[in-house]
Amino acid sequence: MNPFAFTDEFIEVFDAWDGEVGAPSAANRKRNRLRVYKNSFVENVLATSHPALPGLWFGPFVLFGLYAAFTVPVGAVAGVALFFAGVLGFTLVEYLLHRFPFHYKGTGSRAARLRLFLMHGYHHQFPNDKWRLVAPPLMSWPIAAVLIGVYALLFPSVMWVVFGGTCAGYLAYDWIHYYTHHRRNPRTWLGKTLRKAHAVHHYSLFHLNMGISSPLWDVCFGTFAWSEQTVRQALKESRAVERSQG
């Protein structure tokens, strides 16, 4: 039996999906999540995640990267700079992945549509599925493996310093993303700003506000959107979906 076989309800929702990574359809507003895989191990361990678990998987790399920053041959000052370069580098990786493959607009084959739905379409249809608000192992581990390979080729002597910073950036991204969906009434200015910016992306201007952990690259590349009218509209739609999805 194929361990990655999909459930019937997932196939039904996918077949009805219009291919646009945008706001939830009318039908999907009535439920807050789907079981995607029939296999319980795949569904519960590889394809979903408690928000604390990324810290368990990647926290040790952050700690080792910080340690290595003070012991690399280039010196502690350069080591710390390289660590924070890794943090900054992840914000760019996050932006590029979100803007291009996650929001790819080509119709393509059924297989291509399925990949897009699994990568990001599902999240836009069920934005309040708390078990998929941080990247599960099926997504985060392959990306981490690719980055390790790239770093090993580009700068092998300091790769673990840079990768530690990258993991720190990733954890910030994952937890901020969880916060923007799960914390529905933030009290701080920063919390409110993050939630508003992400609401605009989910419910109004789907091709803008691609940065989650930082608006830096949105500002640099002209994809940042903010106006009082747009924010009000997005928050109104967000709350309507939250009420219906629970």
Side-chain angles (χ1 to χ4, degrees):
M1 181 179 177
N2 179 9
F4 293 97
F6 298 115
T7 62
D8 292 340
E9 67 171 346
F10 174 82
I11 293 297
E12 180 183 352
V13 168
F14 168 67
D15 285 340
W17 182 51
D18 62 5
E20 291 293 323
V21 182
S25 67
N28 292 337
R29 286 170 178 256
K30 300 175 183 178
R31 58 175 110 183
N32 67 0
R33 72 185 309 266
L34 295 177
R35 183 184 176 102
V36 175
Y37 297 99
K38 293 180 179 179
N39 184 283
S40 294
F41 177 81
V42 174
E43 174 70 11
N44 297 325
V45 178
L46 298 181
T48 57
S49 176
H50 186 280
L53 286 178
L56 181 64
W57 305 325
F58 295 103
F61 289 107
V62 176
L63 296 177
F64 183 73
L66 283 171
Y67 165 78
F70 290 93
T71 58
V72 288
V74 295
V77 173
V80 171
L82 286 166
F83 181 89
F84 282 102
V87 176
L88 181 63
F90 182 80
T91 64
L92 179 59
V93 170
E94 166 206 330
Y95 174 85
L96 293 175
L97 285 174
H98 194 186
R99 181 175 178 182
F100 296 108
F102 287 9
H103 279 264
Y104 177 67
K105 293 185 178 180
T107 53
S109 63
R110 176 180 171 83
R113 290 180 66 251
L114 179 59
R115 285 194 297 271
L116 180 60
F117 189 73
L118 288 169
M119 280 194 304
H120 204 53
Y122 176 98
H123 172 58
H124 271 256
Q125 290 299 306
F126 304 98
N128 300 303
D129 182 351
K130 64 180 181 180
W131 298 108
R132 291 185 170 91
L133 288 179
V134 299
L138 278 177
M139 180 179 288
S140 60
W141 292 0
I143 294 172
V146 169
L147 291 177
I148 288 174
V150 171
Y151 293 170
L153 288 173
L154 295 180
F155 22 77
S157 64
V158 294
M159 60 174 288
W160 294 114
V161 177
V162 182
F163 185 68
T166 300
C167 289
Y170 163 70
L171 290 176
Y173 152 78
D174 244 356
W175 289 334
I176 288 172
H177 187 230
Y178 184 85
Y179 179 90
T180 60
H181 285 279
H182 187 67
R183 183 69 173 179
R184 296 179 179 178
N185 294 294
R187 296 180 181 180
T188 66
W189 172 86
L190 179 60
K192 291 177 181 178
T193 301
L194 290 170
R195 176 168 164 78
K196 289 175 180 178
H198 198 49
V200 168
H201 170 72
H202 264 275
Y203 299 103
S204 183
L205 302 171
F206 314 115
H207 59 293
L208 300 177
N209 289 6
M210 295 295 181
I212 307 301
S213 57
S214 167
L216 172 64
W217 302 110
D218 281 302
V219 173
C220 289
F221 295 119
T223 54
F224 184 70
W226 188 278
S227 72
E228 290 304 318
Q229 180 179 356
T230 303
V231 168
R232 282 197 301 270
Q233 176 187 344
L235 285 178
K236 180 180 179 180
E237 186 70 5
S238 173
R239 289 174 182 131
V241 171
E242 288 164 358
R243 284 193 299 270
S244 60
Q245 288 190 342

